[in-house]
Amino acid sequence: MADAASSAAESQRLGSPIILTGENSMVGGTAAQAAWEPVIGLETHVQLGTDSKIFSCASTAFGDDPNSHIDPVVCGLPGTLPVLNQKVLEYAVKAAMALNLQVAEHSKFDRKQYFYPDLPKNYQISQYDEPIAENGWIEVEVAEKGKDTYLKTIGIERLHMEEDAGKLVHAGSDRLDGSSHSLVDYNRAGVALAEIVSKPDLRTGREAAEYASEIRRIMRYLGVSDGNMQEGSLRCDVNISVRRGPEAPFGTKVEIKNMNSFSAIQKAIDYEIARQIKAYEAGEPVVQETRLWDESKQLTKSMRSKEGASDYRYFPDPDLGPIEVSPPQREAWRAELPELPAAKRHRYAETFGLSIYDARVLTDERPMAEYFEAAVAAGGEAKALANWITGDIAAYVNAKRLAYGTLPLRPAQLAELVGLIENGTISGKIAKEILPELLEQGGSAQAIVAAKGLGMISDPAAITAIVEELLAAHPDEVTAFRGGKTKLQGFFVGQLMKRTGGRADPKLANQILVEKLKG
């Protein structure tokens, strides 16, 4: 399977994405930019969800007072020694396996030298030439407006472990002399990160946003990170260049730092592609540099010149020994991996016959997917369940900020509700009426229907009597209908449903109504 996937990855990097839906169209770029090919890679920093930091016992809790989660190891005080958090290694290996990376039996930590106020030791412990995992891939599903929805396999160069830096807070000019200042919070310093480096296989801003979204989805499925971008748990650096077609050498690479939303990733890349093309066509140089995305102005702006690997003066960390992951340990962790989003999407489409859209929405979050599968296992019809879960139930869960695991309406109870609609006991309208009570309190839909007398009226004699009463009460409309105004049938259907509280069997009611209207 891995060989087949690798082959698929290679063929798609040569320009053969798998089309899923829509009209055939050029994938990526605009007509004006067709002569240029963007080349995009992402460096995704995932904060691993451990309780303590990567090399110390300091807490990783978010949102507390500045500098309240630091210790001598984090601050790099003399005489302190780092010790690798075992849970960090486990999470990194599981993340690597989920991304189809090859986990190294032996790897090591290195010191990456750079001087910045939010790095208390003046170096970062990272991995350089011997990372924990290399050479992987993931499949992403890309939907661009006006174009085909297609699958594309994106190669992943490596995953390595490292410690995070602190956070600088830049204050305004509140001093008497008008000068500004910056504050530093070391709470984040030493938090465990997995840095995931893609291969330069991305070609559009949309592809990059979908890739980052899938990385986040996988990490959340694994439970190794919450992926909350607003808290900095997942951040992306984007590397972009453009070249004259797929056979031309790569252009000058520009980096955009710390993108913390999928929409920002897409917009920043689209802007930067256009900026570089415009510069080249005007005969201006594109310099290797680090830029920032200005959300308010919707543009990138220069931050600093880009460092090279030699500037960091990497060398093996003398305080940390080599890392060894034995084959038995690796396979034990592999056995704990859940079914991942892409596999679920394929299975939902093939087994349940769901649309690409439904499968994608249901699998976006693992708790929703598990809720859906439990309802199917309880006997519910898959498509009907998908409609209820992605519609009314998702809206309720999001509005109330609930977890699917604590929702009062249990999966088996939702299956029962769907079954009542399927067997004609109640209509969809009645189901929507009792849904709020079920969402708030749970319980049996059958019991609520029985207690409130909400069952479907399926007795032909009873419906016939109601129809005859309606026709007698609206003689002018009956005459108009028989005179050719057949749209009045909708009026009578509405009156019938109003009189029966939506409980009349729709198919039987329409049949009897049409017969009586035609005389």
Side-chain angles (χ1 to χ4, degrees):
M1 181 176 177
D3 291 342
S6 300
S7 176
E10 183 61 30
S11 67
Q12 288 174 47
R13 284 196 286 276
L14 294 175
S16 303
I18 301 172
I19 304 301
L20 295 180
T21 62
E23 297 298 324
N24 290 328
S25 61
M26 183 184 72
V27 175
T30 65
Q33 299 172 357
W36 294 91
E37 182 185 57
V39 179
I40 305 161
L42 260 64
E43 298 171 8
T44 307
H45 299 83
V46 178
Q47 179 177 315
L48 299 177
T50 55
D51 294 331
S52 57
K53 297 185 178 182
I54 184 169
F55 300 119
S56 84
C57 295
S59 172
T60 59
F62 177 83
D64 290 340
D65 292 338
N67 299 308
S68 59
H69 297 311
I70 58 176
D71 63 10
V73 176
V74 170
C75 295
L77 298 184
T80 59
L81 291 173
V83 177
L84 177 61
N85 184 334
Q86 177 71 12
K87 185 61 73 171
V88 170
L89 179 61
E90 175 187 338
Y91 282 1
V93 171
K94 286 181 175 179
M97 290 174 174
L99 301 175
N100 302 293
L101 287 150
Q102 299 172 16
V103 177
E105 288 192 28
H106 305 278
S107 62
K108 65 179 176 67
F109 282 108
D110 301 278
R111 288 188 182 181
K112 179 181 180 182
Q113 319 291 323
Y114 65 95
F115 302 96
Y116 209 61
D118 62 358
L119 197 66
K121 299 193 295 286
N122 284 328
Y123 64 84
Q124 178 189 35
I125 300 177
S126 182
Q127 293 188 294
Y128 178 46
D129 56 334
E130 295 182 30
I132 189 66
E134 296 180 284
N135 296 322
W137 56 272
I138 62 169
E139 178 187 271
V140 297
E141 190 178 287
V142 187
E144 297 198 62
K145 188 175 180 180
K147 299 179 181 178
D148 293 327
T149 297
Y150 59 94
L151 294 177
K152 184 170 181 179
T153 302
I154 307 300
I156 297 177
E157 190 73 40
R158 57 187 279 154
L159 179 150
H160 64 261
M161 298 175 286
E162 64 183 18
E163 60 180 344
D164 206 349
K167 179 181 179 181
L168 285 175
V169 179
H170 303 291
S173 303
D174 57 358
R175 297 182 177 180
L176 293 178
D177 61 0
S179 63
S180 61
H181 65 280
S182 297
L183 305 173
V184 64
D185 178 7
Y186 288 134
N187 278 350
R188 200 173 65 189
V191 167
L193 296 179
E195 180 172 343
I196 301 162
V197 182
S198 82
K199 293 184 178 180
D201 293 346
L202 299 157
R203 294 294 176 264
T204 70
R206 185 62 184 168
E207 285 184 2
E210 291 290 356
Y211 165 83
S213 178
E214 186 71 2
I215 291 285
R216 177 179 181 268
R217 195 174 292 120
I218 291 170
M219 296 302 112
R220 288 166 70 98
Y221 260 67
L222 295 174
V224 304
S225 176
D226 60 27
N228 290 335
M229 300 183 79
Q230 67 273 20
E231 296 180 2
S233 296
L234 189 143
R235 312 187 295 275
C236 291
D237 299 340
V238 179
N239 295 293
I240 311 168
S241 64
V242 297
R243 60 181 176 177
R244 285 280 191 182
E247 302 303 321
F250 287 148
T252 301
K253 181 174 65 176
V254 171
E255 181 183 45
I256 308 176
K257 291 287 286 185
N258 289 337
M259 310 298 297
N260 59 2
S261 78
F262 303 129
S263 63
I265 289 171
Q266 180 171 349
K267 289 186 288 187
I269 288 174
D270 291 343
Y271 174 87
E272 187 61 23
I273 289 170
R275 185 190 74 85
Q276 292 186 26
I277 291 173
K278 182 178 179 181
Y280 280 127
E281 292 186 341
E284 300 170 358
V286 172
V287 298
Q288 183 171 329
E289 62 179 342
T290 297
R291 299 176 71 88
L292 293 176
W293 171 246
D294 188 325
E295 184 67 34
S296 62
K297 296 180 180 179
Q298 297 287 290
L299 52 80
T300 63
K301 54 186 181 182
S302 182
M303 177 185 178
R304 61 173 182 261
S305 61
K306 175 63 178 171
E307 302 90 342
S310 59
D311 298 318
Y312 292 127
R313 294 181 292 115
Y314 284 99
F315 65 85
D317 191 289
D319 295 331
L320 289 161
I323 305 160
E324 295 188 3
V325 182
S326 67
Q329 178 64 83
R330 189 166 61 243
E331 293 312 308
W333 283 336
R334 187 186 300 278
E336 296 174 2
L337 299 182
E339 183 183 30
L340 297 173
K344 276 192 185 295
R345 289 194 294 268
H346 289 305
R347 182 165 64 83
Y348 285 10
E350 294 171 3
T351 304
F352 302 131
L354 298 182
S355 68
I356 294 169
Y357 175 81
D358 284 342
R360 181 183 176 119
V361 174
L362 284 169
T363 59
D364 191 53
E365 295 286 351
R366 185 176 172 182
M368 179 188 278
E370 290 175 344
Y371 187 89
F372 166 74
E373 292 188 27
V376 172
E381 196 277 321
K383 176 57 180 172
L385 288 170
N387 291 339
W388 283 99
I389 293 172
T390 60
D392 298 77
I393 294 175
Y396 179 84
V397 167
N398 293 335
K400 298 289 186 179
R401 298 179 178 271
L402 297 175
Y404 281 91
T406 61
L407 188 64
L409 176 60
R410 306 311 305 143
Q413 295 165 352
L414 176 61
E416 180 188 40
L417 178 67
V418 168
L420 294 179
I421 302 169
E422 293 291 320
N423 64 27
T425 301
I426 60 173
S427 64
K429 181 177 182 296
I430 294 297
K432 280 187 174 288
E433 288 180 10
I434 67 173
L435 182 63
E437 180 177 344
L438 289 168
L439 288 170
E440 291 284 347
Q441 303 175 16
S444 167
Q446 178 73 62
I448 294 174
V449 168
K452 296 185 175 183
L454 297 175
M456 192 89 75
I457 301 173
S458 301
D459 180 3
I463 294 177
T464 298
I466 297 170
V467 168
E468 289 175 347
E469 290 176 9
L470 282 174
L471 300 190
H474 298 89
D476 293 342
E477 286 80 0
V478 172
T479 301
F481 177 87
R482 291 173 178 170
K485 293 186 177 180
T486 55
K487 289 185 178 179
L488 283 169
Q489 181 180 338
F491 164 78
F492 284 105
V493 170
Q495 291 296 312
L496 177 60
M497 289 302 173
K498 183 178 179 180
R499 177 124 3 150
T500 62
R503 293 168 53 219
D505 182 317
K507 184 176 180 181
L508 180 60
N510 269 288
Q511 178 185 336
I512 294 173
L513 182 62
V514 170
E515 289 175 357
K516 293 295 182 180
L517 279 171
K518 291 182 177 179

